[in-house]
Amino acid sequence: MKILFFSSKSYDQQFFSASNKPFGFDLKFTEVPLNMGTAVLAGGYEAVCVFVNDIVNEEVVKALAAQGVKLIALRCAGYNNVDLKTAAASGIKVVRVPAYSPYSVAEHTIAMILTLNRKTHRAYNRVKEGNFALNGLMGFDLHGKTVGLIGLGKIGLVTARILNGFGCKILGYDIAKPEEADRIGIEFSGLDNLYNQSDIISLHCPLTPDTYHLIRKETIAKMKKGVMLINTSRGALIDTKAVIEALKQEHISYLGVDVYEEEADLFFEDLSGRVIQDDVFMRLLSFNNVLITGHQAFFTSNALQNIADITLQNIQEFESAKGLKNEVLLS
Ligand code: NAD
C-alpha cells in the first residue's frame, strides 16, 4: 500500500521509517503541506497521512477522492481540520491517533506554568549576561494555589495528577464528569465558578464549534485579576485579541501558549530570516509575561514512537478490512 505523508519533517521520516519495518508499506514523504494546490500530489496513493495544520476541508477532500485516495490517516489526536461530512460522502475513511502520550502534553503544560511563575526564561538570559539581580524574578508557591482545568480527558487528568503532587487545589470542568475525577482529587465545577476561583487556568478540551473562542472578553471578565492562562490544546480556543487587551489591562498576568489560532502560517518552519507579517502574533511576543512555544507539547521521542506505531497499525487495519479501532466518525 502506498502512503503519501504531507508536511513531513526529518523526525517524521526517521520514526515512521523505523516503525514501518514490520509493516512494509511504501512510504513517501514530502515537506509540502496539504491544501488545494497540493492535493494533486496524492494521485496514485491509496492513503495520505496528514498533521495538525494540513488543510483537509471540503474541496481538498473532494480533490483527494478524485485522485483515488481512500484513507486519511491523521498522525495526531485532534481532527478539527478535517471535513468529516465530505469524507464520509466521498467514501474516504478517516483515522487518528487518539492517545500517544498524554504525559508529553501534560508535562509541557507544567513546564509552561513553572517557567512563567519562576521566570526561568528571563533568568537564563540575565545570568548569561552576568546580571545576577533578582528584581522582577519573584514567583509564588504553587502549593495551595487553585488550578482550573477545562477538559478532563487524557491530558487534563494527567495534568491534574501532576498538579496534585505540587499541593494545588484542582477545579475541573468537562461536558461529562470522568469517573477518576474524585479519586484524583479534582473538584468538579461549573465554568463560572472555575473562572472566578482559579489562580491558573489551563485548557485541555478539543476545538469544536462549542469551544471556539471559549476564552474571550466576557469569559476573561469572570477570571481573577492576575490569573495565569495556559493553552496547549488548540489556538482558536482563545480570542487572541481579547487576551492581548487583558494583558495590557494587567487582568491576565501570565500567558503560556503552545498553539495559536493563525499558527498554520508560522509554526513548524524556520522563519528566522524573514519578516513576520502577523501583527497580532508580534504583539503577543512583545510581552515579557507571555511564553510561546511552536506547537511542541507533543514533541517527545516516546510520543513520536507511539504516533508512528499507531498510525501504521491504523493503516494496516484499513488494508486488511478489519474494524477501524481509531476511526473518526461523524458525531
Ligand atoms: P480527550 O479526548 O482525551 O479529552 C478531551 C476532553 O475534553 C474530553 O473529556 C471531553 O469530554 C472534553 N470536552 C469536549 N468538549 C468540551 C467542552 N465544550 N468543554 C469542556 N470540555 C470539553 O483529548 P486529550 O488527548 O486530552 O487532548 C485534549 C486536546 O489537546 C486535543 O483535543 C488536542 O486539541 C490537544 N492536543 C495538543 C497537543 C500539542 O502538541 N499541543 C498534542 C495533543 C493534543
Side-chain angles (χ1 to χ4, degrees):
M1 184 153 162
K2 288 176 71 182
I3 306 144
L4 180 62
F5 285 66
F6 283 95
S7 301
S8 63
K9 304 291 183 197
S10 57
Y11 43 83
D12 295 310
Q13 198 159 343
Q14 181 196 333
F15 279 88
F16 273 94
S17 299
S19 283
N20 190 38
K21 288 203 176 97
F23 293 99
F25 293 125
D26 183 356
L27 311 183
K28 287 283 176 301
F29 297 93
T30 175
E31 288 221 8
V32 166
L34 175 60
N35 54 45
M36 203 41 209
T38 61
V40 67
L41 296 173
Y45 293 89
E46 211 174 343
V48 293
C49 184
V50 300
F51 197 47
V52 291
N53 291 328
D54 284 306
I55 297 172
V56 204
N57 60 15
E58 180 181 351
E59 57 173 356
V60 171
V61 172
K62 283 183 177 164
L64 292 175
Q67 312 280 339
V69 170
K70 298 274 184 278
L71 178 71
I72 296 169
L74 288 149
R75 53 180 190 278
C76 54
Y79 50 87
N80 50 285
N81 52 336
V82 182
D83 185 332
L84 295 175
K85 208 168 155 194
T86 309
S90 312
I92 295 182
K93 298 279 187 193
V94 180
V95 287
R96 67 175 181 132
V97 186
Y100 44 86
S101 167
Y103 310 104
S104 62
V105 183
E107 289 170 16
H108 192 79
T109 301
I110 302 298
M112 294 196 116
I113 293 172
L114 290 173
T115 303
L116 284 164
N117 175 19
R118 304 308 295 266
K119 304 169 180 65
T120 42
H121 54 313
R122 299 181 65 194
Y124 174 84
N125 287 326
R126 278 195 196 181
V127 170
K128 274 208 155 218
E129 290 178 8
N131 177 357
F132 304 103
L134 298 183
N135 294 340
L137 299 185
M138 195 186 297
F140 54 83
D141 289 359
L142 270 181
H143 182 92
K145 291 289 176 296
T146 300
V147 184
L149 302 176
I150 302 181
L152 297 173
K154 292 174 284 296
I155 295 169
L157 290 178
V158 173
T159 307
R161 283 197 194 95
I162 301 173
L163 289 166
N164 251 337
F166 283 98
C168 296
K169 174 178 176 184
I170 302 162
L171 298 180
Y173 170 78
D174 197 300
I175 47 173
K177 182 179 173 184
E179 274 174 27
E180 303 96 301
D182 292 334
R183 208 173 340 114
I184 297 173
I186 299 170
E187 188 181 310
F188 202 70
S189 159
L191 262 186
D192 280 358
N193 181 56
L194 184 150
Y195 290 139
N196 277 319
Q197 299 296 320
S198 301
D199 302 296
I200 299 170
I201 295 175
S202 189
L203 310 180
H204 300 289
C205 56
L207 176 61
T208 64
D210 284 343
T211 60
Y212 175 79
H213 283 187
L214 179 71
I215 306 301
R216 55 187 185 275
K217 189 176 174 194
E218 299 76 32
T219 46
I220 294 168
K222 297 175 182 169
M223 296 178 192
K224 272 189 181 177
K225 192 169 159 45
V227 67
M228 179 188 292
L229 178 64
I230 306 286
N231 184 11
T232 55
S233 281
R234 283 291 181 269
L237 294 177
I238 285 183
D239 175 351
T240 313
K241 287 184 180 153
V243 164
I244 288 175
E245 203 42 50
L247 284 159
K248 284 165 71 179
Q249 305 292 330
E250 299 183 31
H251 192 127
I252 293 177
S253 291
Y254 313 80
L255 175 71
V257 290
D258 184 52
V259 286
Y260 168 59
E261 48 185 333
E262 302 299 331
E263 69 178 50
D265 294 334
L266 300 170
F267 287 4
F268 306 120
E269 302 301 328
D270 178 1
L271 304 181
S272 54
R274 297 217 214 137
V275 176
I276 291 179
Q277 300 294 331
D278 184 333
D279 293 343
V280 175
F281 185 78
M282 293 314 284
R283 182 66 181 103
L284 261 192
L285 267 188
S286 72
F287 295 97
N288 62 17
N289 54 352
V290 172
L291 177 66
I292 307 176
T293 51
H295 209 138
Q296 71 170 80
F298 75 100
F299 199 56
T300 67
S301 54
N302 314 71
L304 288 182
Q305 178 75 59
N306 291 337
I307 288 170
D309 290 345
I310 296 166
T311 302
L312 295 177
Q313 278 161 21
N314 287 342
I315 295 170
Q316 190 176 53
E317 283 177 4
F318 173 79
E319 192 184 39
S320 57
K322 284 188 190 154
L324 291 175
K325 198 167 61 236
N326 295 322
E327 183 172 6
V328 188
L329 295 165
L330 265 174
S331 50

